[in-house]
mmCIF file of all heavy atoms in Angstrom:
data_model
loop_
_atom_site.group_PDB
_atom_site.id
_atom_site.type_symbol
_atom_site.label_atom_id
_atom_site.label_comp_id
_atom_site.label_asym_id
_atom_site.label_seq_id
_atom_site.Cartn_x
_atom_site.Cartn_y
_atom_site.Cartn_z
ATOM 1 N N LEU X 11 6.476 22.532 3.175
ATOM 2 C CA LEU X 11 7.854 22.626 2.742
ATOM 3 C C LEU X 11 8.197 24.037 2.301
ATOM 4 O O LEU X 11 9.310 24.515 2.503
ATOM 5 C CB LEU X 11 8.115 21.635 1.605
ATOM 6 C CG LEU X 11 8.129 20.164 2.053
ATOM 7 C CD1 LEU X 11 8.183 19.254 0.852
ATOM 8 C CD2 LEU X 11 9.287 19.904 2.978
ATOM 9 N N ALA X 59 10.032 21.365 27.704
ATOM 10 C CA ALA X 59 10.974 22.351 27.188
ATOM 11 C C ALA X 59 11.023 23.580 28.089
ATOM 12 O O ALA X 59 12.100 24.122 28.367
ATOM 13 C CB ALA X 59 10.588 22.747 25.762
ATOM 14 N N ASN X 78 8.227 29.065 20.226
ATOM 15 C CA ASN X 78 7.460 28.004 19.562
ATOM 16 C C ASN X 78 7.330 28.295 18.073
ATOM 17 O O ASN X 78 6.759 29.315 17.684
ATOM 18 C CB ASN X 78 6.072 27.881 20.188
ATOM 19 C CG ASN X 78 6.120 27.476 21.640
ATOM 20 O OD1 ASN X 78 6.256 28.314 22.527
ATOM 21 N ND2 ASN X 78 6.026 26.185 21.896
ATOM 22 N N THR X 105 12.786 16.623 18.603
ATOM 23 C CA THR X 105 12.023 15.385 18.746
ATOM 24 C C THR X 105 12.374 14.460 17.581
ATOM 25 O O THR X 105 13.129 14.857 16.686
ATOM 26 C CB THR X 105 10.518 15.695 18.766
ATOM 27 O OG1 THR X 105 10.185 16.426 17.580
ATOM 28 C CG2 THR X 105 10.131 16.519 19.998
ATOM 29 N N LEU X 109 14.803 15.809 14.124
ATOM 30 C CA LEU X 109 16.191 15.402 14.360
ATOM 31 C C LEU X 109 16.567 14.084 13.680
ATOM 32 O O LEU X 109 17.753 13.738 13.627
ATOM 33 C CB LEU X 109 16.462 15.280 15.866
ATOM 34 C CG LEU X 109 16.645 16.597 16.618
ATOM 35 C CD1 LEU X 109 16.914 16.336 18.097
ATOM 36 C CD2 LEU X 109 17.775 17.439 16.016
ATOM 37 N N ILE X 139 1.899 3.558 23.773
ATOM 38 C CA ILE X 139 1.062 2.516 24.352
ATOM 39 C C ILE X 139 0.369 1.726 23.249
ATOM 40 O O ILE X 139 0.052 2.270 22.187
ATOM 41 C CB ILE X 139 0.008 3.133 25.310
ATOM 42 C CG1 ILE X 139 -0.675 2.044 26.140
ATOM 43 C CG2 ILE X 139 -1.014 3.969 24.546
ATOM 44 C CD1 ILE X 139 -1.553 2.607 27.257
ATOM 45 N N ALA X 158 -5.377 -11.756 15.727
ATOM 46 C CA ALA X 158 -5.180 -11.184 14.401
ATOM 47 C C ALA X 158 -4.901 -12.271 13.369
ATOM 48 O O ALA X 158 -5.375 -12.193 12.227
ATOM 49 C CB ALA X 158 -4.032 -10.182 14.434
ATOM 50 N N GLY X 168 -5.768 2.520 15.162
ATOM 51 C CA GLY X 168 -5.776 3.965 15.041
ATOM 52 C C GLY X 168 -4.417 4.547 15.392
ATOM 53 O O GLY X 168 -3.819 4.177 16.403
ATOM 54 N N GLY X 171 -1.776 9.973 12.809
ATOM 55 C CA GLY X 171 -1.409 10.630 11.567
ATOM 56 C C GLY X 171 -0.456 9.799 10.729
ATOM 57 O O GLY X 171 0.275 8.947 11.246
ATOM 58 N N LEU X 175 5.080 8.804 14.721
ATOM 59 C CA LEU X 175 5.750 7.718 15.428
ATOM 60 C C LEU X 175 4.768 6.594 15.739
ATOM 61 O O LEU X 175 5.135 5.412 15.686
ATOM 62 C CB LEU X 175 6.398 8.240 16.702
ATOM 63 C CG LEU X 175 7.374 7.303 17.399
ATOM 64 C CD1 LEU X 175 8.535 6.934 16.482
ATOM 65 C CD2 LEU X 175 7.915 7.938 18.670
ATOM 66 N N VAL X 194 -5.322 3.133 10.470
ATOM 67 C CA VAL X 194 -6.284 4.214 10.255
ATOM 68 C C VAL X 194 -5.675 5.504 10.799
ATOM 69 O O VAL X 194 -5.620 5.699 12.014
ATOM 70 C CB VAL X 194 -7.627 3.921 10.951
ATOM 71 C CG1 VAL X 194 -8.625 5.040 10.663
ATOM 72 C CG2 VAL X 194 -8.183 2.567 10.519
ATOM 73 N N VAL X 202 -8.389 9.636 17.940
ATOM 74 C CA VAL X 202 -8.067 8.208 18.133
ATOM 75 C C VAL X 202 -8.708 7.723 19.429
ATOM 76 O O VAL X 202 -9.358 6.667 19.467
ATOM 77 C CB VAL X 202 -6.546 7.972 18.175
ATOM 78 C CG1 VAL X 202 -6.257 6.482 18.358
ATOM 79 C CG2 VAL X 202 -5.885 8.475 16.914
ATOM 80 N N LEU X 206 -11.618 4.892 19.875
ATOM 81 C CA LEU X 206 -11.318 3.700 20.669
ATOM 82 C C LEU X 206 -12.393 3.507 21.737
ATOM 83 O O LEU X 206 -12.883 2.395 21.959
ATOM 84 C CB LEU X 206 -9.939 3.821 21.311
ATOM 85 C CG LEU X 206 -9.377 2.563 21.983
ATOM 86 C CD1 LEU X 206 -9.092 1.470 20.957
ATOM 87 C CD2 LEU X 206 -8.100 2.905 22.757
ATOM 88 N N ALA X 214 -5.206 1.068 19.411
ATOM 89 C CA ALA X 214 -4.547 2.359 19.246
ATOM 90 C C ALA X 214 -3.072 2.196 19.553
ATOM 91 O O ALA X 214 -2.698 1.491 20.496
ATOM 92 C CB ALA X 214 -5.163 3.409 20.156
ATOM 93 N N SER X 220 -2.352 10.486 27.284
ATOM 94 C CA SER X 220 -3.807 10.618 27.164
ATOM 95 C C SER X 220 -4.549 9.331 27.513
ATOM 96 O O SER X 220 -5.756 9.361 27.804
ATOM 97 C CB SER X 220 -4.179 11.043 25.738
ATOM 98 O OG SER X 220 -3.675 12.328 25.450
ATOM 99 N N ARG X 231 -8.135 -1.000 27.410
ATOM 100 C CA ARG X 231 -7.255 -2.040 27.943
ATOM 101 C C ARG X 231 -5.838 -1.799 27.430
ATOM 102 O O ARG X 231 -5.599 -1.820 26.208
ATOM 103 C CB ARG X 231 -7.755 -3.420 27.511
ATOM 104 C CG ARG X 231 -6.988 -4.578 28.139
ATOM 105 C CD ARG X 231 -7.619 -5.911 27.792
ATOM 106 N NE ARG X 231 -8.963 -6.004 28.348
ATOM 107 C CZ ARG X 231 -10.046 -6.296 27.637
ATOM 108 N NH1 ARG X 231 -9.955 -6.520 26.340
ATOM 109 N NH2 ARG X 231 -11.223 -6.370 28.217
ATOM 110 N N ASP X 243 3.621 5.098 35.372
ATOM 111 C CA ASP X 243 2.195 5.395 35.479
ATOM 112 C C ASP X 243 1.322 4.155 35.323
ATOM 113 O O ASP X 243 0.187 4.132 35.802
ATOM 114 C CB ASP X 243 1.783 6.425 34.418
ATOM 115 C CG ASP X 243 2.235 7.825 34.790
ATOM 116 O OD1 ASP X 243 2.595 8.033 35.965
ATOM 117 O OD2 ASP X 243 2.234 8.694 33.914
ATOM 118 N N GLN X 251 8.902 -5.965 24.886
ATOM 119 C CA GLN X 251 9.962 -6.962 25.039
ATOM 120 C C GLN X 251 9.563 -8.046 26.031
ATOM 121 O O GLN X 251 9.771 -9.244 25.789
ATOM 122 C CB GLN X 251 11.256 -6.289 25.496
ATOM 123 C CG GLN X 251 11.919 -5.439 24.418
ATOM 124 C CD GLN X 251 13.341 -5.052 24.774
ATOM 125 O OE1 GLN X 251 14.041 -5.792 25.464
ATOM 126 N NE2 GLN X 251 13.789 -3.908 24.289
ATOM 127 N N THR X 261 10.140 4.696 20.980
ATOM 128 C CA THR X 261 9.846 5.717 21.972
ATOM 129 C C THR X 261 9.789 7.098 21.350
ATOM 130 O O THR X 261 10.490 7.392 20.377
ATOM 131 C CB THR X 261 10.935 5.765 23.072
ATOM 132 O OG1 THR X 261 12.191 6.065 22.467
ATOM 133 C CG2 THR X 261 11.028 4.444 23.797
ATOM 134 N N VAL X 326 11.428 0.462 7.706
ATOM 135 C CA VAL X 326 9.975 0.531 7.954
ATOM 136 C C VAL X 326 9.338 1.549 7.035
ATOM 137 O O VAL X 326 8.315 1.295 6.377
ATOM 138 C CB VAL X 326 9.677 0.884 9.426
ATOM 139 C CG1 VAL X 326 8.179 1.003 9.654
ATOM 140 C CG2 VAL X 326 10.266 -0.166 10.351
#
Side-chain angles (χ1 to χ4, degrees):
L11 289 171
N78 297 86
T105 56
L109 284 180
I139 192 171
L175 192 60
V194 182
V202 181
L206 190 66
S220 295
R231 186 174 296 126
D243 284 345
Q251 289 193 31
T261 60
V326 178

